[in-house]
Amino acid sequence: MKKLLLTLAILFSFAGTAKPDFIYVTSLTQWEEVLALAEANRKMIYVYYTSSDDCEPCDFMESSTLGRDVVEDYLNENYLSIYIREGTSFARSFAAGFDIGSVPSSLWMTGSEFVWKMEAGVMEHEKFMRACDKVGFLTQNYGSIMPYAMRGGDTLSVEEWFDLFYIAGANQPQYETRLVSAFRNSLNLDSLKSDRYWPYIMTYVSDLTSPLYQYIKIDWEQTLGEEFPWQAYYDRLYNFNLEIAVSTMDSSMVENMELQLLPTVVRDSADPENLLAYNKLLLWQDYYLGLNDFENYIRVTDEQIIKLEPTDEQMVEIIRTHTSLSRSDYSLDKATEWLNACIKMKPSVQLYIMKADVLIVRNKRTEALQTLGDAQEMSPTEEEQELIDLLLYVIHSTY
């Protein structure tokens, strides 16, 4: 014990003027000593992870929150306060190990590296003290709350469930699935309209085949309320499921997204009638591009673009994305082929301008001039005429 206390004194000598009485840790050896000290002295650990560069949020956090007497006194009495600054190999390993993605970040933990709470970003001192109170409640009651939650936890608040989800996910991942299942089984669907449940939905209802998602998607405004952030939820589900589909190379997941998710996109009267078909094309393009499968990306575009009958704006986006991926002769010729097919269906000045632009990049100036002539015959707007004049200037200046 005397050796541990001596080590504590040595580590505190690095603390400088920061508040509270921070222990500056820059190596794994120092961190292991801190863990041993925390266990031996039955102290919890507060870790403040900050930037090595100029960081206004970090400065604010240190002066306006950690510099307050009430915060300093609380941490000095109840915690070993650790200061870790970006820039060292240890700091990088620590950030990776605890999934720290931004500065400043705060972690409340024990000497066994059991994380009770983590908060990213600036915390004003009132919020900081509430977080400390929450950690105190959880450390005192976790042993009884977790088994109760596993049995259904009928009287637990949504906030308590989320705390348990986080703790289980950060420390004992095998519990998280069981917790989610217990919460789902005890959930009253009528209560989903309460915004208190929205974080649960946004975080855990991601399986597009689950009965709960099927219930929600039938009429999400009726089920969840008109204020539910459906577009943000849609985007999260899209990215989450697509990432899994790509990582597992599972096209059946993409098919499920096409059937279950795409029809739920929020629409308004200004959206084109073919929006669903357009989103279908983008989905499959995203999937094959995620696999770096340019051949199938081309194939699916070939198959769907004629059926789609894209608007000018959609076609511009398709061509812009396509030509940003590759400027090879094959890729540019494909872009010209798709544009020709759309012009044949419904010619427009915008499509002619885009075709001329691709032909110029392809170094086919004569064809580009002819295409711009076709555009001018369609009575372009003033803005379109400016684009035509610009492309004409580019062609003539290169001769």
Side-chain angles (χ1 to χ4, degrees):
M1 178 62 73
K2 290 182 179 179
K3 182 178 180 181
L4 288 173
L5 293 175
L6 177 62
T7 306
L8 179 60
I10 293 172
L11 286 173
F12 269 113
S13 69
F14 293 105
T17 60
K19 296 181 178 181
D21 295 330
F22 276 114
I23 302 171
Y24 284 71
V25 175
T26 59
S27 70
L28 179 59
T29 299
Q30 291 178 333
W31 175 245
E32 290 174 343
E33 289 180 334
V34 165
L35 297 178
L37 285 166
E39 290 288 276
N41 291 277
R42 296 187 177 182
K43 284 265 193 176
M44 289 190 66
I45 297 171
Y46 167 70
V47 177
Y48 176 66
Y49 187 91
T50 185
S51 174
S52 58
D53 302 318
D54 291 336
C55 172
E56 291 185 9
C58 302
D59 293 340
F60 178 86
M61 178 80 173
E62 293 178 34
S63 61
S64 297
T65 300
L66 299 176
R68 296 223 177 204
D69 289 342
V70 63
V71 175
E72 178 185 1
D73 292 343
Y74 181 86
L75 289 179
N76 287 342
E77 181 178 351
N78 297 284
Y79 287 84
L80 294 180
S81 298
I82 310 302
Y83 194 102
I84 299 177
R85 188 188 295 274
E86 284 182 328
T88 65
S89 59
F90 169 74
R92 288 190 290 272
S93 298
F94 187 90
F98 293 100
D99 198 23
I100 298 174
S102 61
V103 291
S105 284
S106 296
L107 291 85
W108 291 260
M109 57 199 306
T110 65
S112 61
E113 295 189 304
F114 189 95
V115 179
W116 288 98
K117 192 171 185 61
M118 181 167 68
E119 289 279 353
V122 172
M123 301 178 70
E124 295 185 353
H125 83 278
E126 294 92 346
K127 181 180 179 182
F128 185 90
M129 292 306 298
R130 287 196 299 271
C132 291
D133 289 342
K134 174 66 74 174
V135 171
F137 170 80
L138 290 171
T139 56
Q140 293 172 20
N141 295 280
Y142 179 81
S144 59
I145 289 179
M146 179 62 85
Y148 175 59
M150 292 294 192
R151 296 193 301 270
D154 293 340
T155 63
L156 291 178
S157 70
V158 175
E159 291 76 14
E160 288 170 333
W161 278 105
F162 292 154
D163 287 330
L164 293 174
F165 289 150
Y166 173 77
I167 293 170
N171 301 283
Q172 298 166 304
Q174 70 271 23
Y175 285 169
E176 186 173 17
T177 300
R178 293 173 59 193
L179 276 173
V180 172
S181 178
F183 186 26
R184 229 184 240 125
N185 291 338
S186 63
L187 189 63
N188 180 353
L189 295 178
D190 290 339
S191 64
L192 291 176
K193 294 180 182 178
S194 168
D195 57 9
R196 295 169 62 245
Y197 288 90
W198 291 354
Y200 162 73
I201 295 166
M202 298 284 284
T203 305
Y204 293 106
V205 184
S206 54
D207 181 356
L208 302 181
T209 63
S210 71
L212 187 54
Y213 177 76
Q214 294 297 316
Y215 174 80
I216 291 171
K217 77 163 191 172
I218 292 173
D219 187 344
W220 66 268
E221 290 180 319
Q222 177 65 30
T223 306
L224 303 174
E226 295 180 359
E227 300 302 317
F228 181 77
W230 186 267
Q231 187 59 55
Y233 182 48
Y234 175 95
D235 293 340
R236 195 200 70 80
L237 291 180
Y238 186 97
N239 294 329
F240 178 83
N241 284 275
L242 182 62
E243 183 177 341
I244 295 176
V246 170
S247 64
T248 59
M249 295 186 290
D250 186 356
S251 62
S252 66
M253 284 197 68
V254 184
E255 293 172 354
N256 198 45
M257 290 175 67
E258 180 184 328
L259 294 173
Q260 305 291 344
L261 181 62
L262 295 190
T264 70
V265 68
V266 178
R267 303 186 60 162
D268 59 44
S269 58
D271 288 330
E273 293 183 2
N274 70 345
L275 182 62
L276 182 58
Y278 177 61
N279 287 340
K280 175 183 174 181
L281 171 59
L282 296 183
L283 170 62
W284 284 101
Q285 285 182 330
D286 286 344
Y287 173 65
Y288 287 121
L289 289 177
L291 296 176
N292 293 316
D293 186 347
F294 198 65
E295 181 180 348
N296 271 313
Y297 159 82
I298 293 289
R299 177 188 60 77
V300 76
T301 308
D302 272 335
E303 290 176 354
Q304 296 189 27
I305 202 163
I306 302 301
K307 300 176 185 177
L308 173 63
E309 296 186 14
T311 65
D312 287 358
E313 290 74 18
Q314 290 170 346
M315 196 62 201
V316 166
E317 188 60 33
I318 290 169
I319 298 300
R320 181 182 290 120
T321 300
H322 176 73
T323 54
S324 70
L325 295 169
S326 172
R327 289 296 183 103
S328 68
D329 290 348
Y330 172 73
S331 181
L332 294 173
D333 287 345
K334 269 295 175 186
T336 304
E337 178 185 326
W338 296 336
L339 284 163
N340 283 337
C342 291
I343 289 171
K344 184 177 180 180
M345 288 187 292
K346 187 178 180 181
S348 73
V349 176
Q350 198 169 10
L351 293 179
Y352 279 127
I353 290 173
M354 175 152 279
K355 177 183 174 182
D357 191 20
V358 174
L359 290 170
I360 291 170
V361 177
R362 188 70 173 82
N363 205 29
K364 294 184 177 182
R365 298 184 182 88
T366 301
E367 291 182 44
L369 284 170
Q370 177 60 51
T371 301
L372 292 174
D374 294 335
Q376 286 183 310
E377 292 179 2
M378 296 191 69
S379 302
T381 64
E382 183 176 338
E383 183 178 354
E384 289 169 340
Q385 185 61 53
E386 289 179 359
L387 290 173
I388 292 171
D389 292 341
L390 175 61
L391 292 179
L392 288 171
Y393 172 78
V394 171
I395 292 171
H396 291 306
S397 66
T398 56
Y399 275 121

